[in-house]
Amino acid sequence: MDTKKPSDPYVKEQTHCQRPAQPSSTQCKISGEVFSSLGSKMKFLLAVISSGLLIWSVVLLSSSTNFNSQLLVATSNDSKEPETPRDKLIGGLLTADFDEGSCQSRYQQSLLYRKPSPYKPSEYLISKLRNYEKLHKRCGPGTDAYKKATEILGHDDENYAEKSVGECRYIVWVAVYGLGNRILTLASVFLYAMLTERVVLVDQSKDISDLFCEPFPGTSWLLPLEFPLMKQINGYNMRYSRCYGTMLNNHAINSTLIPPHLYLHILHDSRDNDKMFFCQKDQSLVDKVPWLIVKANVYFVPSLWLNPTFQTELMKMFPQKEAVFHHLARYLFHPTNQVWGLITRSYNAYLSRADETLGIQVRIFSDRPGYFQHVMDQVVSCVQREKLLPEAAAQEEPKVNISQRQKLKAVLVTSLYPEYSDNLKNMYWERPTSTGEIIEVYQPSGERVQQTDKKLHDQKALAEMYLLSLTDNIVTSARSTFGYVAHSLGGLKPWLLYQPTGPTAPNPPCIRSTSMDPCHLTPPSHGCEADWGTDSGKVVPFVRHCEDRGNDGLKLFDEL
């Protein structure tokens, strides 16, 4: 024990005292008095030694900290790949001009849930999007330009070409058919609007505002309810006198006979004359009409590439041709907070813990819908043949290595019928897998009947499309627009289940697509003008027939 009294001057000057391992010697810092009694050389020597010790201790501490950091990183890398910084604006595809809380999905999906896409938007596409946003803000609902442009719609004036309606032209998208069709067609209409410098306005009479946030800053894309043609547009069809195909048949449109609006019929039952809309010569007439009203249930982007004028612009906007919908969807379609809640709760509960995820979408095209055993057999054959899921083991393994962590694979199934996921779940519950993997099967809903235009049904459908797009691999049904949206939004090249032609599973059951872009299911079957007899799948090398449609449909491909 230290026996110095508090009055001792040495104790007053002492700043620190330690006891070493040997109790017989006590090491203390040199007091001020002792230090002052030393010679100048000794002071200098002690100062050098003290500085050296201080520097050496700092070096040791830094090395230890760095070593621990490296050890921590190395340890974590054993089980997880290093994360790359996420870009909430997706390489400039999105603008930062929105309040994040009003639409949580806009920035969260790229930051928290979606893997970085290998498909990067071009600088030209980004500039076109920023220019479009300015146009929409200048011409959108509530502006003087919009008010002036709508004035002529209440008058049936055949000499409309003589009149001025201002700088803005518009295309109105009318909601028809199911949600997958709507998403694909709205993306198509928006791309056409960008190519032709039109303002796209969307029919809000259905549930569009319950599904998606506004995509353009400082303005709205919703068609005002007081739009002069609002009461008529739902009744437009190919027999309407202002339908473009009908006007061509009747020779009722030319450079001097320009109506105030045109109806475009781009549906599965479109006639050849309706499809002439995609041709270069016809576009020179359509371009002069200030208002276009369009109904569509097909993804018509591939057919726009057949027009040489559009093709030049499109190649600059989309150097990776198969990524057209992928970019447009990530720009346009941001689920509302209510839908985003459905997505994030399901993802966190069922997909986030998995080492690998697989999405399976089953769509039945039949006059007698329901569960079919041959479709179930087809799904199982596809996923096991393509090594997406393991086969069930013949018997229980006699020994289980409890020290080795088993890989967890989560399977997300979407279908109107729960039997497909139930049977898959039972298959992997009743018997172990041949690889030792743990398979968890989850289906968010199984409502048996499609209920288009019912708010909650459509919100669940949108949530399931997004959940599928977040998986690592995906299997979808041929011809399904629901599946097209899911895999293309996620930047995934799907395994496509061939459509059965009878009560037996097709052999082979599926094919791996070489392009992630959706299919234009009922495109023009001909070229334009002199190329009338040309197969539309052979006009340009990167627009070819779809894998799931045989010698039909058109799709964009990068691989030749």
Side-chain angles (χ1 to χ4, degrees):
M1 181 178 290
D2 195 337
T3 57
K4 293 287 183 180
K5 296 180 181 179
S7 59
D8 193 316
Y10 176 76
V11 176
K12 287 183 180 180
E13 293 293 327
Q14 182 177 332
T15 59
H16 182 68
C17 187
Q18 290 182 322
R19 291 192 185 274
Q22 299 297 326
S24 60
S25 62
T26 302
Q27 294 178 336
C28 298
K29 285 190 174 180
I30 300 175
S31 70
E33 291 183 6
V34 174
F35 188 82
S36 62
S37 65
L38 297 173
S40 59
K41 290 184 178 181
M42 184 60 71
K43 291 179 183 179
F44 176 77
L45 180 61
L46 287 172
V48 170
I49 293 173
S50 299
S51 300
L53 288 172
L54 178 62
I55 293 171
W56 179 244
S57 65
V58 170
V59 170
L60 285 175
L61 179 62
S62 175
S63 299
S64 176
T65 303
N66 187 50
F67 173 78
N68 289 335
S69 299
Q70 291 178 345
L71 180 62
L72 180 62
V73 171
T75 302
S76 62
N77 280 351
D78 286 342
S79 58
K80 187 176 181 180
E81 290 295 324
E83 292 190 0
T84 55
R86 298 298 175 89
D87 173 18
K88 74 174 187 178
L89 300 183
I90 321 180
L93 196 65
L94 304 181
T95 174
D97 295 342
F98 285 97
D99 170 54
E100 294 191 22
S102 64
C103 185
Q104 297 168 12
S105 68
R106 192 187 314 275
Y107 303 122
Q108 282 187 10
Q109 61 173 301
S110 57
L111 287 173
L112 302 178
Y113 294 96
R114 195 175 298 287
K115 295 178 181 178
S117 172
Y119 301 90
K120 306 303 179 186
S122 68
E123 290 297 327
Y124 190 71
L125 173 60
I126 292 170
S127 69
K128 293 287 284 187
L129 291 171
R130 299 294 89 85
N131 289 337
Y132 177 83
E133 290 164 0
K134 294 175 184 176
L135 174 67
H136 200 107
K137 196 169 185 178
R138 189 170 68 248
C139 300
T143 63
D144 291 338
Y146 174 82
K147 292 174 184 176
K148 184 174 182 181
T150 54
E151 286 175 358
I152 51 88
L153 285 176
H155 305 86
D156 194 14
D157 191 345
E158 294 298 338
N159 296 320
Y160 177 72
E162 307 266 330
K163 300 186 178 180
S164 172
V165 292
E167 60 171 333
C168 303
R169 295 172 305 137
Y170 301 83
I171 182 166
V172 175
W173 171 84
V174 182
V176 291
Y177 292 90
L179 184 58
N181 301 84
R182 294 180 183 184
I183 293 173
L184 293 175
T185 59
L186 185 47
S188 304
V189 168
F190 174 67
L191 179 57
Y192 176 78
M194 279 206 299
L195 290 169
T196 56
E197 297 184 347
R198 289 183 181 271
V199 174
V200 63
L201 297 174
V202 304
D203 170 23
Q204 60 171 314
S205 62
K206 303 296 171 61
D207 54 9
I208 190 75
S209 59
D210 295 317
L211 299 173
F212 300 111
C213 305
E214 292 275 4
F216 313 128
T219 184
S220 176
W221 69 342
L222 299 177
L223 180 69
L225 295 175
E226 63 274 14
F227 178 63
L229 302 179
M230 182 61 77
K231 294 181 180 179
Q232 297 104 285
I233 56 177
N234 281 330
Y236 289 172
N237 55 45
M238 65 177 69
R239 292 180 294 276
Y240 177 49
S241 62
R242 294 276 173 79
C243 175
Y244 184 62
T246 299
M247 296 191 80
L248 283 182
N249 281 338
N250 298 335
H251 305 287
I253 184 171
N254 56 50
S255 59
T256 59
L257 292 175
I258 301 296
H261 72 274
L262 272 178
Y263 165 63
L264 305 175
H265 190 81
I266 312 179
L267 296 170
H268 59 281
D269 60 352
S270 295
R271 303 159 297 183
D272 281 342
N273 274 344
D274 294 311
K275 296 174 183 178
M276 293 299 290
F277 160 77
F278 298 106
C279 297
Q280 188 174 27
K281 180 180 177 181
D282 293 73
Q283 277 297 313
S284 64
L285 288 177
V286 174
D287 197 55
K288 297 176 182 178
V289 182
W291 284 93
L292 301 179
I293 316 294
V294 59
K295 285 184 182 179
N297 68 343
V298 291
Y299 175 72
F300 59 80
V301 166
S303 296
L304 295 176
W305 288 73
L306 303 181
N307 185 316
T309 303
F310 292 159
Q311 188 183 123
T312 302
E313 278 288 283
L314 288 167
M315 293 186 79
K316 291 193 292 182
M317 293 165 69
F318 302 101
Q320 295 170 300
K321 300 172 186 65
E322 66 173 312
V324 176
F325 181 80
H326 180 61
H327 291 319
L328 294 179
R330 292 185 302 157
Y331 172 77
L332 281 178
F333 303 120
H334 309 291
T336 59
N337 288 351
Q338 185 175 358
V339 178
W340 191 240
L342 297 174
I343 296 168
T344 55
R345 286 190 293 274
S346 292
Y347 182 89
N348 292 332
Y350 299 101
L351 301 180
S352 61
R353 297 177 294 107
D355 298 293
E356 187 178 331
T357 56
L358 171 67
I360 300 176
Q361 179 255 346
V362 181
R363 174 75 162 90
I364 303 300
F365 294 95
S366 172
D367 295 334
R368 185 178 63 85
Y371 172 79
F372 294 97
Q373 185 59 45
H374 68 276
V375 175
M376 185 71 224
D377 295 340
Q378 178 186 7
V379 171
V380 173
S381 176
C382 174
V383 296
Q384 293 185 346
R385 178 176 178 265
E386 301 298 329
K387 309 300 182 185
L388 298 172
L389 287 179
E391 295 183 4
Q395 59 185 6
E396 294 287 346
E397 293 294 328
K399 293 182 181 180
V400 177
N401 186 355
I402 60 175
S403 64
Q404 184 176 359
R405 178 180 175 272
Q406 292 174 286
K407 182 178 179 181
L408 173 61
K409 182 172 287 189
V411 182
L412 174 74
V413 178
T414 65
S415 175
L416 287 174
Y417 310 102
E419 291 89 348
Y420 295 101
S421 63
D422 289 344
N423 287 340
L424 199 62
K425 187 183 303 181
N426 289 336
M427 186 175 76
Y428 287 108
W429 180 55
E430 294 169 355
R431 294 164 64 188
T433 61
S434 58
T435 59
E437 294 171 290
I438 300 297
I439 308 299
E440 287 188 356
V441 181
Y442 166 63
Q443 180 169 342
S445 69
E447 301 190 359
R448 297 193 178 276
V449 179
Q450 186 169 333
Q451 304 170 56
T452 302
D453 294 337
K454 287 193 176 181
K455 174 182 173 181
L456 186 56
H457 176 87
D458 281 351
Q459 287 181 326
K460 288 180 179 179
L462 177 59
E464 291 182 10
M465 287 182 197
Y466 265 78
L467 286 167
L468 284 171
S469 78
L470 298 175
T471 57
D472 297 314
N473 291 301
I474 190 169
V475 177
T476 65
S477 297
R479 295 179 53 212
S480 171
T481 55
F482 189 110
Y484 289 164
V485 171
H487 71 67
S488 191
L489 174 63
L492 303 168
K493 293 182 179 180
W495 280 264
L496 295 166
L497 295 166
Y498 286 114
Q499 185 175 353
T501 57
T504 57
N507 185 22
C510 58
I511 183 174
R512 180 73 186 276
S513 177
T514 57
S515 168
M516 67 176 180
D517 210 49
C519 177
H520 182 174
L521 292 171
T522 54
S525 57
H526 54 76
C528 294
E529 302 170 28
D531 298 324
W532 183 267
T534 303
D535 182 342
S536 59
K538 298 180 180 179
V539 175
V540 291
F542 47 82
V543 179
R544 306 201 305 276
H545 293 305
C546 311
E547 302 103 325
D548 54 337
R549 292 288 288 164
N551 291 322
D552 198 2
L554 290 183
K555 188 173 181 178
L556 288 161
F557 292 84
D558 279 318
E559 299 178 18
L560 301 180

